[in-house]
Amino acid sequence: MVFTAEEKIVIREYLQQGFSPTEIYNRRGAWPWVYSSIADICRQIRQRNFDIERKVGSGRPKSGRTDANIAQVRRRIKSPVRRPGSHQSQRQIAAAIGISRTMVRRIIREDLRLKAFQKVRVHQISAVNVRRRVARCRALLQRIRNRGERRIVFTDKKMFTLRAPRNAQNERVYGDGRKRTIARERLVVPRTHFSRKLMVSGGISWNGKTRLHVIPENERINAESYQYLLTDGLLPDCQQLYPAGNFIFQQDSARPHVALTSLALLEIDAPGYIGPEEWPACSPDLNACDYRLWAYLEQRVYSNGGFTTVQDLEARLHQEWDAIPLRLIRSWIDEFRPRCQATLRLRGQNIQHLFNKL
């Protein structure tokens, strides 16, 4: 056990009065002392000539967290700027230096005081689109002055499968024996190569969300089917969200969206829309549906695992869609302006790593 400074002073006074460790143990009173620990501390106090302070460096010399090992971990754990991705894992470092992974982890956390940051998967942006993102984000910021982002209806499509998305990091089974003693059903994850899918389309804005439109399972999305979705679904929903008709319709630059007939339809039926020459290409980090909505909905829909039928998946999608709170949607919309500003600061590069996950 570890003695406090006050306890050591009391034990030293007993020793100076000539009491043995046994007598000191019998006089412990309310102190939660153990006899073996009292015997050890009495021996140490006598060896130090009744000095209760331990001398610096009097313990066991370091064998793992030495200066040489710390220098090697520092060199191996961080990639040079000119060679990104060349760093080694904690397991590789432990094997190369000859120390345990626990020791490597302690050096990283306590000696080097480094923090681990998870990488973020982003869309690759070509050099041409990087320059275009800068110009178009600058134009979007000019367009949404005076809280103009609150008039935008962000729209997008998303594919959902019957099988729940996998996270191998969380798929662990703990047992108190060997692996072969655990039931097979607990260790295997069945999967199919051709899981049935369901595509949905929807939009969100400061005033609320549109209906969730389910696209028939075998229907191909082309200009004609997209225009039907606009006239019978998305645009009437936008009109209900903004009765004054002052909304701005947003869409990405997918082929059915930028077809001349689709743009002509928007020119007539939408009071305002962001055209393909205004919306930055390869920019899911600027669409509120991509950077927040679909991840949130996927997390809620698959909270209890996958589904056996398309009907069950569709019912759950509508249930979770209707339950999305307006305050949460508004917090997503309010991110649009800071994201455009961050794109300008980074000169058109990806910005998703700057913003927290769900």
Side-chain angles (χ1 to χ4, degrees), residues 53-327:
E53 297 295 333
R54 185 175 70 86
K55 295 181 179 179
V56 179
S58 61
R60 182 173 66 86
K62 292 183 177 180
S63 59
R65 294 167 60 189
T66 61
D67 293 340
N69 288 344
I70 292 174
Q72 286 208 54
V73 172
R74 180 187 292 109
R75 179 172 56 86
R76 295 171 183 269
I77 198 64
K78 297 177 66 176
S79 304
V81 177
R82 296 182 179 180
R83 291 190 300 137
S86 61
H87 63 279
Q88 294 181 334
S89 66
Q90 294 183 14
R91 190 187 301 275
Q92 292 171 330
I93 295 174
I97 300 178
I99 58 179
S100 65
R101 288 183 61 192
T102 303
M103 190 63 64
V104 174
R105 192 178 301 113
R106 289 191 62 188
I107 291 175
I108 294 172
R109 184 176 62 250
E110 299 176 16
D111 296 309
L112 300 180
R113 297 185 181 278
L114 299 178
K115 295 181 179 180
F117 300 97
Q118 190 174 10
K119 290 186 176 181
V120 179
R121 291 186 178 182
V122 296
H123 275 65
Q124 186 172 2
I125 307 175
S126 64
V128 174
N129 284 330
V130 165
R131 293 192 296 270
R132 289 176 179 174
R133 270 168 60 97
V134 174
R136 293 178 181 182
C137 280
R138 187 177 290 112
L140 285 174
L141 286 173
Q142 289 290 331
R143 185 168 184 176
I144 63 173
R145 288 184 299 179
N146 300 324
R147 295 293 184 181
E149 67 271 23
R150 297 187 176 184
R151 296 168 48 209
I152 300 177
V153 181
F154 295 90
T155 65
D156 196 24
K157 295 183 290 294
K158 171 69 175 177
M159 188 79 72
F160 290 86
T161 61
L162 295 182
R163 183 171 57 89
R166 289 189 57 203
N167 186 347
Q169 184 66 21
N170 295 336
E171 291 181 349
R172 299 176 183 270
V173 176
Y174 292 91
D176 53 4
R178 293 181 177 272
K179 190 175 183 179
R180 62 172 175 265
T181 63
I182 302 176
R184 179 188 65 84
E185 293 77 10
R186 297 182 61 199
L187 289 174
V188 298
V189 180
R191 65 184 180 91
T192 57
H193 290 284
F194 304 101
S195 179
R196 296 182 66 181
K197 303 175 182 178
L198 195 64
M199 179 176 285
V200 297
S201 177
I204 57 174
S205 70
W206 181 264
N207 286 3
K209 56 184 178 293
T210 67
R211 291 170 295 169
L212 185 67
H213 301 279
V214 178
I215 298 173
E217 191 173 359
N218 296 320
E219 180 176 312
R220 181 183 177 185
I221 302 298
N222 52 27
E224 182 180 357
S225 61
Y226 180 65
Q227 292 162 29
Y228 178 79
L229 175 64
L230 288 176
T231 55
D232 283 17
L234 293 176
L235 291 179
D237 293 347
C238 294
Q239 193 66 43
Q240 286 190 356
L241 292 174
Y242 293 86
N246 58 344
F247 66 89
I248 301 174
F249 188 82
Q250 182 275 333
Q251 61 179 5
D252 58 25
S253 298
R255 287 182 180 273
H257 301 176
V258 298
L260 295 179
T261 51
S262 299
L263 296 178
L265 174 64
L266 290 175
E267 190 71 32
I268 297 173
D269 294 343
Y273 71 96
I274 301 176
E277 71 284 349
E278 298 176 280
W279 184 255
C282 299
S283 299
D285 49 359
L286 296 178
N287 188 337
C289 295
D290 281 311
Y291 65 70
R292 291 297 183 191
L293 172 65
W294 297 133
Y296 174 84
L297 189 63
E298 187 177 78
Q299 186 181 78
R300 300 287 300 179
V301 167
Y302 296 109
S303 59
N304 296 326
F307 300 87
T308 55
T309 65
V310 173
Q311 291 74 19
D312 293 340
L313 174 59
E314 182 176 348
R316 185 61 183 274
L317 280 167
H318 282 291
Q319 177 186 353
E320 295 298 339
W321 177 268
D322 295 337
I324 300 176
L326 179 60
R327 59 169 181 79

